[in-house]
Amino acid sequence: MTGQSGLGWIDILVILLYVIATGYLGWLGYRGTRSAADFLVGGRSAHPIIMAVSYGATFISTAAIVGFGGVAGLFGMSLLWLTFLNIGVGIFIAFVFLGEPTRRMGHRLGAHTFGELLGLRYQSRAVQIFAGALVFLFMPLYSAAVMTGGSIFAATQFGIDFEVALLIFALITAAYVVPGGLKAVMYTDTLQGFVMITAMIFLLWYTYSQLGGIGEAHRFLTDMADMVPAKLQAIGHQGWTEMPAFGWGANSYNLWWIVVSTIILGVGIGVLAQPQLAVRFMTVRSRRELDRAVPIGAVFIMLMTGTPFIVGSLSNAWFAQHGPLLKGQVEQVMDTEKDRAMVGLMRQNDVGAWTPILGKDEKPAVVPLIITTREQAADASGESFELVSGRSSIITYVKGEADQIIPTFISTALPHWFGIIFFLAMLAAAMSTMSSQFHTIGTAAGRDLYEQISRKPHGSEPSLLAMRLAVVVGLLVAVTISYTVREGYVIARFTAIFFGLCAAAFMPAFIGGLFFKGVTRAGALASMSVGFGVSAFWLVFIKSAEAKAIGLVQLVTGGKPSLLADVPNWPVVDPIVIALPLSALTLIIVSALTRKPDEAHLEQCFASASNRNRYRVSAS
Amino acid sequence: MLGIPDPWVIIAYLGCILMTIVSLIYGLARRNAAPDEVTPIDRDWAIEERKADHDL
């Protein structure tokens, strides 16, 4: 399916207005107070709404909306558990329990990057370099996910090739992040946040109203369970309003493990140790501001993730009711009462005869169809047959490509003007997230890697050059990944890989360092090494989707996609399930066996009131 | 309930709304509960952060 193509003058006007408004707010910001740090320097406070929406705009991107929304279209509403965790863990636990300790410790130690916070807490250059390297090397994967999401949406909305959309998207990103967009201009972030909020509220309302209301929409979707593609049914898909089948020891439980371990846990828990989000807590003025941001953040995240997950799932119902008619010949009757059948899709050739449409495997495409009309037609040999017309789930229309679901739904089901607004919302979501990502990549390369390895002071010219180079390199790597890898639900998978890596490598050392004085430098370093090492091993040798793409495991196993390819379920279990507990256990055991940090340093980290100059130390 | 037969999905659906309400109540209840002061340490940190931001 392709979307509506072309741009009318109204579309161009809307885009221009948006760009001018963003530019004006950015200019206003540059003239005066522009970032959270500026507010803090001035001893003032950013309005909690501005703070929370700007944080949320950093958190939510096209990866969440297009990528995970598309996964919901494929797997169903079980993904709402991720929204639950995003609100409960990503907002509530993060703001209420982690925000203040991170802010306090960061300020006392004078840390300005996530790696620096860990390095100063554990008095270890190695810890800082490790954290900086991981961020610098793997965050471009997450940036690629965001970029792919935006490019797919633009390609579908405007009917252009993905490659062209990616090039345009990359140029816009470069124009935004390279000259100065890296500075967190909170007003523009907030404008972008409000564009996103408006778009999501309309999208949710429109979708439910098109399907006859909340209950009716859900009931119709529930009734479509038999329309789930056979491949998905085989791994445990029970319908879009049901959890996948749960169990262990058979391939029919694979989907549960994919959804729960990779999609829900990987991202839902991993958010706590996201370097670019943890650092945001340091820019907050006080505990009171964190408390005030909780409700706004929760509403924002509910709309930004809940809406695409619900709409992604319901897009199946919309297409089954209103999608373009598909035609073909009945292969197998599924339900006579509801007139549903597996239908071999056909198209009319130049001379008017009906011929089969071939699928990706060059075999006739057979899909589940809700039949609406029947008529007589002639095939290529001139023989008469019953041609049926009907509609299917969105999965049929996007040929199983999850990343296409949200863009296709928006461009087909919603008014064209909304597609433009939604595109701007996507652009906004991508830009606010990517400016934060590239800022993190730049500071990781400059402060955590270059300065620590070369032992040069903060802010030296070579260090600044390293930062700027890192931003450009990160952008190029992200574009290359985005251009090269497209198969499967790649946006959600890239995001989950990065979140999972951060969780396994950083979370125990980060949380342990914030709350427990007994956690040692050796414990932190060992925990980070184990978390990263196990995750990397799992991705390269066990988790079949990633291992197969990387290609090393085939050399070891003689062509199999996983070391555990013959054992059900293990090849779809996410590394976080193994790596995070091992990383936490390592932190506890090694810390118990190694020398505790000296009291003076702990006082510096944890004291309630202190003088920063008294406590400021260099990493040893 | 709500046309969703699976209790686990219903729990997630309503849980999102409930969690948001809990967050709203928390934010309102603690609106002015925590202290709101900018210490010299906070200010020094912000000055350095602004410089780092500006350099990049």
Side-chain angles (χ1 to χ4, degrees), chain A residues 422-433:
Chain A
F422 200 80
F423 170 72
L424 294 175
M426 291 298 93
L427 199 62
M431 289 306 147
S432 48
T433 301

Side-chain angles (χ1 to χ4, degrees), chain A residues 34 37-38 40-41 77 80-81 83-84 87-88 92 96 103 106-108 110-112 182-184 208 214-215 218-219 222 241-243 282-283 285-288 291-292 294-295 298-299 302 310 439 443 447 464 467-468 610-612, chain B:
Chain A
R34 61 181 177 233
D38 291 321
L40 233 169
V41 171
M77 287 188 174
L80 284 173
W81 279 106
T83 301
F84 179 77
I87 303 168
F92 195 83
V96 174
R103 190 189 74 83
H107 287 194
R108 279 192 210 113
H112 294 269
L182 289 173
K183 292 171 183 170
Y208 271 132
I214 294 173
H218 294 164
R219 268 186 287 279
T222 301
T241 55
E242 303 250 4
M243 290 295 289
M282 295 183 211
T283 64
R285 171 191 156 98
S286 66
R287 171 75 202 227
R288 184 181 292 179
D291 286 343
R292 289 180 174 188
V294 168
V299 171
M302 183 179 73
I310 290 170
H439 186 283
T443 49
R447 293 181 81 103
L464 298 178
M467 285 187 198
R468 291 172 194 142
S610 52
N611 181 312
R612 185 186 145 196
Chain B
M1 192 181 188
L2 290 172
I4 298 173
D6 188 335
W8 286 103
V9 177
I10 276 285
I11 290 170
Y13 191 97
L14 297 178
C16 296
I17 297 167
L18 189 70
M19 201 61 232
T20 306
I21 293 170
V22 168
S23 300
L24 283 167
I25 293 168
Y26 174 89
L28 288 173
R30 285 194 52 89
R31 189 167 172 73
N32 295 310
D36 180 36
E37 57 165 343
V38 177
T39 64
I41 298 172
D42 299 331
R43 202 162 179 281
D44 286 353
W45 181 91
I47 289 169
E48 200 176 316
E49 173 71 7
R50 189 166 66 171
K51 184 179 175 302
D53 215 24
H54 177 74
D55 289 342
L56 184 60

Side-chain angles (χ1 to χ4, degrees), chain A residues 188-365:
Chain A
T188 52
D189 270 2
T190 309
L191 169 76
Q192 292 169 345
F194 280 111
V195 172
M196 289 156 70
I197 288 172
T198 310
M200 287 302 163
I201 290 173
F202 180 82
L203 179 61
L204 190 64
W205 168 80
Y206 185 87
T207 307
Y208 271 132
S209 66
Q210 282 271 303
L211 294 168
I214 294 173
E216 193 51 39
H218 294 164
R219 268 186 287 279
F220 189 87
L221 191 64
T222 301
D223 189 49
M224 285 177 62
D226 57 349
M227 305 277 291
V228 171
K231 274 186 186 172
L232 291 177
Q233 285 189 28
I235 57 172
H237 199 315
Q238 306 189 103
W240 288 277
T241 55
E242 303 250 4
M243 290 295 289
F246 171 68
W248 183 260
N251 288 336
S252 56
Y253 303 130
N254 273 355
L255 189 61
W256 193 92
W257 289 97
I258 292 171
V259 168
V260 174
S261 74
T262 301
I263 306 288
I264 296 174
L265 286 182
V267 179
I269 305 286
V271 67
L272 286 181
Q274 281 292 294
Q276 75 279 20
L277 295 179
V279 168
R280 280 236 158 197
F281 291 132
M282 295 183 211
T283 64
V284 176
R285 171 191 156 98
S286 66
R287 171 75 202 227
R288 184 181 292 179
E289 296 307 310
L290 285 166
D291 286 343
R292 289 180 174 188
V294 168
I296 306 143
V299 171
F300 185 82
I301 296 298
M302 183 179 73
L303 283 171
M304 289 305 121
T305 64
T307 298
F309 298 171
I310 290 170
V311 169
S313 302
L314 288 175
S315 65
N316 289 288
W318 190 91
F319 268 78
Q321 289 183 12
H322 309 287
L325 281 173
L326 303 170
K327 292 173 184 291
Q329 191 172 11
V330 171
E331 296 278 334
Q332 185 192 340
V333 174
M334 289 160 55
D335 189 325
T336 46
E337 196 181 321
K338 295 175 184 166
D339 209 2
R340 294 177 185 182
M342 294 302 293
V343 171
L345 294 180
M346 303 180 89
R347 70 159 70 92
Q348 240 173 340
N349 65 17
D350 296 340
V351 293
W354 288 90
T355 56
I357 295 174
L358 301 182
K360 287 177 188 166
D361 51 2
E362 295 300 309
K363 292 178 184 165

Side-chain angles (χ1 to χ4, degrees), chain A residues 568-612:
Chain A
N569 305 132
W570 279 115
V572 297
V573 170
D574 195 77
I576 195 173
V577 176
I578 308 297
L580 181 57
L582 284 179
S583 170
L585 203 61
T586 305
L587 185 86
I588 294 166
I589 292 171
V590 177
S591 292
L593 299 175
T594 48
R595 195 167 61 86
K596 300 284 175 281
D598 62 78
E599 276 303 319
H601 176 66
L602 291 175
E603 174 70 11
Q604 176 188 356
C605 295
F606 291 94
S608 57
S610 52
N611 181 312
R612 185 186 145 196

Side-chain angles (χ1 to χ4, degrees), chain A residues 26-65:
Chain A
W27 178 70
L28 275 185
Y30 280 110
R31 282 179 61 206
T33 304
R34 61 181 177 233
S35 69
D38 291 321
F39 278 109
L40 233 169
V41 171
R44 292 178 291 125
S45 167
H47 194 281
I49 290 182
I50 292 180
M51 210 283 276
V53 172
S54 139
Y55 174 91
T58 305
F59 182 3
I60 296 301
S61 66
T62 47
I65 298 164

Side-chain angles (χ1 to χ4, degrees), chain A residues 146-184:
Chain A
V146 177
M147 207 173 275
T148 302
S151 304
I152 289 180
F153 189 84
T156 311
Q157 182 63 31
F158 302 118
I160 54 178
D161 288 339
F162 172 79
E163 289 75 13
V164 176
L166 177 62
L167 181 67
I168 295 170
F169 212 83
L171 289 175
I172 294 174
T173 308
Y176 189 82
V177 302
V178 173
L182 289 173
K183 292 171 183 170

